[in-house]
Amino acid sequence: MLKRTFAALWRRAPKWARRLGVLLAESPFTVTAGAVVIDSRDRVLLLHHRFRPGGGWGIPGGFMRPREHAEEAVRRELREEVGLEIDVAGVAFIRTLQKYRQVEIIFRCAPKGIPIPQGFEIDRAEWFELNSLPDGLSEDQRGLIRRAEE
């Protein structure tokens, strides 16, 4: 009886009240956009982040801003991190990370220009052969690259 009453009230509530109820009841999560950038010589761009745990190497990317489209976010991150413009081939895949309550949108891209670190966060930007990735690259990052290549 209580469930039916609540359901009836919910259906009759104004849209703003239902939206507020969902926002209060649902747990927040973050969304990131990443880029597997492959050049004409079939090399992948990896960035050495000063603050990344482990070996520091990883694909470019970062958190999306509110109301930002995923492709805009990945373009912005590449400009901010290494001053690079890209041709986006499209979304390679999307995955969720339960541990961090995060959704990752991974793009496969081609570079337009030369990556040059743009600030304090990125130490180096280097191209690597797909069969010769750096030792400090985590298995998770290796998996992202393999999956984007499929």
Side-chain angles (χ1 to χ4, degrees), residues 62-77:
F63 292 100
M64 290 176 55
R65 295 178 177 160
R67 291 179 284 290
E68 184 175 41
H69 292 281
E71 186 175 326
E72 292 171 358
V74 80
R75 288 179 185 281
R76 174 184 51 76
E77 285 290 337

Side-chain angles (χ1 to χ4, degrees), residues 87-130:
D87 283 327
V88 174
V91 174
F93 61 92
I94 299 170
R95 72 176 186 166
T96 58
L97 302 171
Q98 297 298 322
K99 180 179 177 182
Y100 301 107
R101 298 180 122 153
Q102 181 175 325
V103 175
E104 284 186 328
I105 304 168
I106 305 297
F107 289 88
R108 183 180 165 122
C109 312
K112 292 183 349 187
I114 299 170
I116 300 170
Q118 304 286 311
F120 188 73
E121 181 184 354
I122 304 302
D123 184 29
R124 296 190 321 248
E126 294 183 27
W127 295 100
F128 291 90
E129 301 289 332
L130 293 170

Side-chain angles (χ1 to χ4, degrees), residues 35 39 50 54 58 80 111-112 114 118 132 136 145:
D39 72 1
R50 292 183 193 273
E80 288 175 2
K112 292 183 349 187
I114 299 170
Q118 304 286 311
S132 183
I145 294 166

